[in-house]
Amino acid sequence: KTMSLNRLNAGHAWPDRSAGFAALGATLALLGVLVTQWPAAWLASAVQHFSGGRVLLLESRGTLWQGSAHLALSAGGGSSPSAWAQRLHWQVSLTGLNALQIQWSTPGQSQAPWVWKAQWQPSGLTFSLGDVDWQLPTTWLSGWGAPWNTVQPEGVLQIQSRQWTWRQTPQQWRADGQITLSLLGLSTRLSSLRPLGDYQLVLHGGESPRLALDTLSGPLRLSGEGHWQQGRIQFLGQAWAQEPSDEIVLSNLLSVLGVRNGPRAILKVG
Protein backbone atom coordinates (compact mmCIF):
# COMPACT_ATOMS: atom_id res chain seq x y z
CA LYS A 1 0.00 0.00 0.00
CA THR A 2 2.82 2.35 0.82
CA MET A 3 4.35 1.80 -2.60
CA SER A 4 0.99 2.39 -4.25
CA LEU A 5 0.50 5.66 -2.38
CA ASN A 6 3.98 6.85 -3.36
CA ARG A 7 3.27 6.06 -6.97
CA LEU A 8 -0.04 7.84 -6.72
CA ASN A 9 1.58 10.95 -5.20
CA ALA A 10 4.29 10.90 -7.83
CA GLY A 11 1.63 10.66 -10.49
CA HIS A 12 -0.09 13.76 -9.11
CA ALA A 13 3.25 15.65 -8.81
CA TRP A 14 4.21 15.29 -12.46
CA PRO A 15 1.25 17.30 -13.87
CA ASP A 16 1.87 20.08 -11.30
CA ARG A 17 5.55 20.23 -12.21
CA SER A 18 4.76 20.27 -15.91
CA ALA A 19 2.31 23.10 -15.37
CA GLY A 20 5.03 25.01 -13.51
CA PHE A 21 7.50 24.54 -16.35
CA ALA A 22 4.86 25.62 -18.84
CA ALA A 23 4.11 28.78 -16.84
CA LEU A 24 7.83 29.57 -16.55
CA GLY A 25 8.32 29.04 -20.28
CA ALA A 26 5.36 31.27 -21.11
CA THR A 27 6.70 33.98 -18.77
CA LEU A 28 10.17 33.85 -20.33
CA ALA A 29 8.66 33.96 -23.81
CA LEU A 30 6.58 36.99 -22.85
CA LEU A 31 9.62 38.72 -21.37
CA GLY A 32 11.56 37.92 -24.56
CA VAL A 33 8.86 39.52 -26.69
CA LEU A 34 8.72 42.57 -24.43
CA VAL A 35 12.50 43.02 -24.51
CA THR A 36 12.78 42.67 -28.28
CA GLN A 37 9.84 44.99 -28.85
CA TRP A 38 10.75 47.74 -26.39
CA PRO A 39 9.57 50.93 -28.13
CA ALA A 40 12.06 53.54 -29.31
CA ALA A 41 10.24 56.02 -27.05
CA TRP A 42 11.86 54.31 -24.07
CA LEU A 43 15.30 55.10 -25.47
CA ALA A 44 14.20 58.69 -26.12
CA SER A 45 13.09 59.01 -22.48
CA ALA A 46 16.41 57.61 -21.23
CA VAL A 47 18.45 60.00 -23.42
CA GLN A 48 16.38 62.96 -22.24
CA HIS A 49 16.77 61.95 -18.58
CA PHE A 50 20.51 61.32 -18.55
CA SER A 51 21.27 64.47 -20.57
CA GLY A 52 19.18 66.66 -18.31
CA GLY A 53 16.86 67.46 -21.19
CA ARG A 54 19.67 68.90 -23.33
CA VAL A 55 19.74 66.07 -25.90
CA LEU A 56 16.47 64.77 -27.32
CA LEU A 57 15.29 62.09 -29.74
CA LEU A 58 12.18 63.53 -31.38
CA GLU A 59 9.57 61.63 -33.42
CA SER A 60 11.17 58.32 -32.48
CA ARG A 61 10.10 55.24 -34.44
CA GLY A 62 10.80 51.53 -34.22
CA THR A 63 12.19 49.74 -31.18
CA LEU A 64 15.02 50.11 -28.72
CA TRP A 65 17.03 47.67 -30.84
CA GLN A 66 16.37 49.21 -34.24
CA GLY A 67 14.79 52.61 -34.81
CA SER A 68 15.19 56.21 -35.87
CA ALA A 69 14.54 59.75 -34.63
CA HIS A 70 15.45 63.39 -35.16
CA LEU A 71 18.41 64.28 -32.94
CA ALA A 72 17.73 67.62 -31.23
CA LEU A 73 19.55 69.94 -28.80
CA SER A 74 17.80 71.92 -26.08
CA ALA A 75 18.73 74.31 -23.28
CA GLY A 76 16.34 72.39 -21.02
CA GLY A 77 13.59 73.79 -18.87
CA GLY A 78 10.98 73.55 -21.60
CA SER A 79 12.95 75.63 -24.12
CA SER A 80 12.41 75.09 -27.84
CA PRO A 81 14.76 72.41 -29.21
CA SER A 82 16.72 72.62 -32.44
CA ALA A 83 16.44 69.38 -34.42
CA TRP A 84 18.77 67.97 -37.06
CA ALA A 85 16.68 67.66 -40.24
CA GLN A 86 18.27 64.34 -41.18
CA ARG A 87 16.79 61.33 -39.34
CA LEU A 88 19.31 59.44 -37.26
CA HIS A 89 18.99 55.64 -37.38
CA TRP A 90 20.34 53.22 -34.78
CA GLN A 91 20.80 49.50 -34.43
CA VAL A 92 21.64 47.87 -31.09
CA SER A 93 23.04 44.35 -30.92
CA LEU A 94 24.65 42.04 -28.38
CA THR A 95 28.07 40.94 -29.64
CA GLY A 96 28.71 38.66 -26.66
CA LEU A 97 27.48 37.83 -23.17
CA ASN A 98 29.22 40.96 -21.89
CA ALA A 99 29.39 43.21 -24.97
CA LEU A 100 26.98 45.65 -26.61
CA GLN A 101 27.25 47.50 -29.92
CA ILE A 102 25.30 50.54 -31.15
CA GLN A 103 25.53 51.63 -34.78
CA TRP A 104 24.39 55.14 -35.73
CA SER A 105 23.80 55.98 -39.38
CA THR A 106 22.20 58.58 -41.67
CA PRO A 107 20.80 56.69 -44.69
CA GLY A 108 21.05 58.56 -47.95
CA GLN A 109 24.19 60.38 -46.80
CA SER A 110 27.79 59.58 -47.71
CA GLN A 111 28.77 59.50 -44.02
CA ALA A 112 29.86 56.08 -42.81
CA PRO A 113 28.02 54.61 -39.78
CA TRP A 114 29.38 55.48 -36.35
CA VAL A 115 29.90 52.40 -34.16
CA TRP A 116 29.94 52.55 -30.35
CA LYS A 117 30.96 49.49 -28.32
CA ALA A 118 30.68 48.73 -24.62
CA GLN A 119 32.17 45.72 -22.85
CA TRP A 120 31.81 44.68 -19.21
CA GLN A 121 34.59 42.73 -17.50
CA PRO A 122 35.43 41.95 -13.86
CA SER A 123 38.14 44.61 -14.06
CA GLY A 124 35.71 47.32 -15.21
CA LEU A 125 33.91 48.86 -18.20
CA THR A 126 35.45 49.65 -21.59
CA PHE A 127 33.67 52.01 -23.99
CA SER A 128 35.04 52.72 -27.48
CA LEU A 129 34.05 54.82 -30.49
CA GLY A 130 34.78 53.79 -34.04
CA ASP A 131 36.63 56.26 -36.26
CA VAL A 132 34.19 58.63 -37.92
CA ASP A 133 34.06 61.86 -39.92
CA TRP A 134 30.59 63.44 -39.80
CA GLN A 135 29.31 66.86 -40.86
CA LEU A 136 26.30 68.61 -39.37
CA PRO A 137 24.78 72.10 -39.80
CA THR A 138 26.21 74.62 -37.32
CA THR A 139 22.75 76.23 -36.89
CA TRP A 140 21.84 73.06 -34.95
CA LEU A 141 23.87 74.39 -31.97
CA SER A 142 21.37 77.22 -31.39
CA GLY A 143 19.17 74.76 -29.52
CA TRP A 144 21.63 74.74 -26.60
CA GLY A 145 20.70 78.27 -25.62
CA ALA A 146 23.15 81.06 -24.72
CA PRO A 147 25.45 82.02 -26.26
CA TRP A 148 24.60 79.87 -29.31
CA ASN A 149 21.04 81.15 -29.75
CA THR A 150 22.34 84.74 -29.67
CA VAL A 151 25.27 84.11 -32.01
CA GLN A 152 23.14 81.91 -34.33
CA PRO A 153 26.17 80.38 -36.02
CA GLU A 154 26.19 79.45 -39.69
CA GLY A 155 28.60 77.06 -41.35
CA VAL A 156 29.56 73.41 -41.00
CA LEU A 157 30.08 71.46 -37.80
CA GLN A 158 32.47 68.54 -38.31
CA ILE A 159 33.04 65.79 -35.76
CA GLN A 160 35.91 63.32 -36.01
CA SER A 161 36.90 60.50 -33.66
CA ARG A 162 40.17 58.63 -33.80
CA GLN A 163 40.77 55.47 -31.73
CA TRP A 164 38.78 56.86 -28.79
CA THR A 165 38.53 54.46 -25.83
CA TRP A 166 37.31 55.08 -22.31
CA ARG A 167 38.09 52.59 -19.53
CA GLN A 168 36.75 52.64 -15.99
CA THR A 169 37.88 50.48 -13.07
CA PRO A 170 37.00 50.67 -9.38
CA GLN A 171 40.25 52.57 -8.81
CA GLN A 172 40.41 54.97 -11.77
CA TRP A 173 39.31 55.79 -15.31
CA ARG A 174 41.29 56.70 -18.39
CA ALA A 175 40.55 57.89 -21.92
CA ASP A 176 42.76 57.36 -24.97
CA GLY A 177 42.55 58.61 -28.53
CA GLN A 178 41.24 61.89 -29.90
CA ILE A 179 37.92 63.60 -30.68
CA THR A 180 37.92 66.74 -32.85
CA LEU A 181 35.12 69.28 -33.32
CA SER A 182 35.59 71.79 -36.13
CA LEU A 183 33.56 74.89 -37.02
CA LEU A 184 34.22 75.59 -40.69
CA GLY A 185 33.21 78.74 -42.56
CA LEU A 186 31.72 80.20 -39.37
CA SER A 187 29.49 83.29 -39.76
CA THR A 188 27.02 85.06 -37.49
CA ARG A 189 24.36 87.75 -37.67
CA LEU A 190 26.34 89.69 -35.02
CA SER A 191 29.12 90.59 -37.46
CA SER A 192 29.27 91.81 -41.05
CA LEU A 193 32.59 89.98 -41.47
CA ARG A 194 31.78 86.79 -43.37
CA PRO A 195 33.17 84.29 -42.85
CA LEU A 196 34.75 84.76 -39.42
CA GLY A 197 37.04 81.80 -39.87
CA ASP A 198 37.66 78.10 -39.25
CA TYR A 199 38.17 76.73 -35.73
CA GLN A 200 39.07 73.45 -34.09
CA LEU A 201 38.46 72.05 -30.60
CA VAL A 202 40.41 68.86 -29.85
CA LEU A 203 39.90 66.49 -26.90
CA HIS A 204 43.10 64.55 -26.27
CA GLY A 205 42.94 61.36 -24.19
CA GLY A 206 44.94 60.65 -21.06
CA GLU A 207 44.46 60.26 -17.31
CA SER A 208 43.17 63.84 -17.37
CA PRO A 209 41.87 64.43 -20.95
CA ARG A 210 42.99 67.79 -22.32
CA LEU A 211 41.06 70.31 -24.44
CA ALA A 212 42.74 72.61 -26.97
CA LEU A 213 41.00 75.35 -28.99
CA ASP A 214 42.81 76.79 -32.01
CA THR A 215 42.07 79.08 -34.95
CA LEU A 216 42.81 77.58 -38.36
CA SER A 217 42.10 80.80 -40.29
CA GLY A 218 40.03 83.98 -40.19
CA PRO A 219 39.83 87.52 -38.78
CA LEU A 220 38.32 86.34 -35.47
CA ARG A 221 40.95 84.58 -33.39
CA LEU A 222 40.04 81.97 -30.77
CA SER A 223 42.40 80.04 -28.51
CA GLY A 224 42.29 78.26 -25.17
CA GLU A 225 43.07 75.20 -23.11
CA GLY A 226 41.29 73.10 -20.54
CA HIS A 227 40.79 69.64 -19.13
CA TRP A 228 38.03 67.13 -18.41
CA GLN A 229 38.20 65.53 -14.99
CA GLN A 230 35.63 63.60 -12.94
CA GLY A 231 32.91 64.40 -15.46
CA ARG A 232 33.52 68.15 -15.35
CA ILE A 233 35.09 70.46 -17.91
CA GLN A 234 37.27 73.40 -16.98
CA PHE A 235 38.33 75.67 -19.83
CA LEU A 236 39.93 79.09 -20.18
CA GLY A 237 40.48 80.88 -23.48
CA GLN A 238 40.38 84.17 -25.35
CA ALA A 239 38.74 85.70 -28.42
CA TRP A 240 40.03 88.79 -30.26
CA ALA A 241 40.22 90.49 -33.64
CA GLN A 242 43.32 89.65 -35.64
CA GLU A 243 43.46 93.16 -37.07
CA PRO A 244 42.81 96.28 -34.93
CA SER A 245 40.66 97.67 -37.76
CA ASP A 246 38.21 94.74 -37.29
CA GLU A 247 37.77 95.24 -33.56
CA ILE A 248 34.77 97.59 -33.88
CA VAL A 249 33.00 95.23 -36.31
CA LEU A 250 33.54 92.31 -33.92
CA SER A 251 32.78 94.22 -30.72
CA ASN A 252 29.20 92.94 -30.25
CA LEU A 253 30.22 89.34 -30.89
CA LEU A 254 33.16 89.54 -28.49
CA SER A 255 30.90 90.88 -25.74
CA VAL A 256 28.53 87.93 -26.20
CA LEU A 257 31.33 85.34 -26.20
CA GLY A 258 32.78 86.37 -22.84
CA VAL A 259 33.72 89.06 -20.34
CA ARG A 260 35.67 91.82 -22.05
CA ASN A 261 39.23 92.52 -21.01
CA GLY A 262 40.26 95.39 -23.26
CA PRO A 263 40.23 94.25 -26.89
CA ARG A 264 39.81 90.60 -25.88
CA ALA A 265 36.96 88.48 -24.55
CA ILE A 266 37.66 85.87 -21.87
CA LEU A 267 36.16 82.44 -22.61
CA LYS A 268 35.57 80.46 -19.44
CA VAL A 269 33.79 77.20 -18.62
CA GLY A 270 33.76 75.63 -15.14
Side-chain angles (χ1 to χ4, degrees):
K1 291 182 178 180
T2 302
M3 183 178 297
S4 298
L5 288 174
N6 288 339
R7 288 177 178 175
L8 181 61
N9 291 336
H12 282 292
W14 277 111
D16 292 341
R17 187 176 300 176
S18 299
F21 283 140
L24 177 60
T27 301
L28 292 177
L30 177 61
L31 287 176
V33 171
L34 290 175
V35 168
T36 57
Q37 297 302 315
W38 273 343
W42 288 19
L43 177 61
S45 297
V47 170
Q48 180 176 358
H49 174 74
F50 287 108
S51 67
R54 297 179 65 84
V55 180
L56 308 173
L57 294 176
L58 303 179
E59 299 179 10
S60 57
R61 301 173 185 168
T63 67
L64 171 69
W65 303 98
Q66 186 169 356
S68 67
H70 286 290
L71 183 63
L73 303 181
S74 172
S79 62
S80 298
S82 176
W84 185 19
Q86 179 69 35
R87 287 191 72 87
L88 184 66
H89 293 241
W90 68 80
Q91 184 171 345
V92 182
S93 58
L94 296 175
T95 57
L97 295 177
N98 63 334
L100 183 73
Q101 176 177 291
I102 306 177
Q103 180 174 288
W104 305 92
S105 62
T106 53
Q109 302 291 314
S110 59
Q111 302 175 142
W114 197 3
V115 179
W116 297 4
K117 295 181 180 179
Q119 185 174 21
W120 294 267
Q121 295 178 332
S123 58
L125 171 67
T126 299
F127 182 72
S128 62
L129 304 181
D131 290 355
V132 74
D133 189 345
W134 275 22
Q135 290 189 347
L136 304 95
T138 308
T139 51
W140 185 54
L141 297 174
S142 298
W144 260 341
W148 300 105
N149 58 349
T150 302
V151 174
Q152 292 191 3
E154 300 174 7
V156 174
L157 172 64
Q158 184 180 51
I159 179 170
Q160 297 173 309
S161 63
R162 295 293 181 266
Q163 300 180 339
W164 182 263
T165 302
W166 181 77
R167 297 180 178 88
Q168 183 175 22
T169 66
Q171 294 77 26
Q172 64 179 356
W173 67 273
R174 177 185 176 88
D176 292 291
Q178 179 175 297
I179 296 178
T180 303
L181 295 176
S182 302
L183 290 174
L184 307 176
L186 179 63
S187 297
T188 171
R189 65 173 186 172
L190 297 179
S191 174
S192 59
L193 284 176
R194 303 176 71 89
L196 294 172
D198 300 328
Y199 309 93
Q200 196 171 76
L201 179 66
V202 183
L203 176 61
H204 300 275
E207 293 184 359
S208 179
R210 181 173 57 88
L211 287 166
L213 173 63
D214 292 299
T215 300
L216 303 178
S217 64
L220 174 66
R221 313 303 289 182
L222 303 176
S223 71
E225 293 184 348
H227 63 273
W228 175 32
Q229 195 168 22
Q230 296 180 346
R232 295 184 177 181
I233 293 177
Q234 291 186 328
F235 178 85
L236 184 62
Q238 299 182 69
W240 71 98
Q242 181 178 21
E243 301 295 338
S245 58
D246 293 331
E247 187 177 330
I248 295 179
V249 181
L250 293 173
S251 180
N252 289 338
L253 175 60
L254 291 173
S255 297
V256 170
L257 292 178
V259 178
R260 293 295 295 270
N261 182 11
R264 299 188 177 222
I266 306 303
L267 314 177
K268 187 175 181 180
V269 177

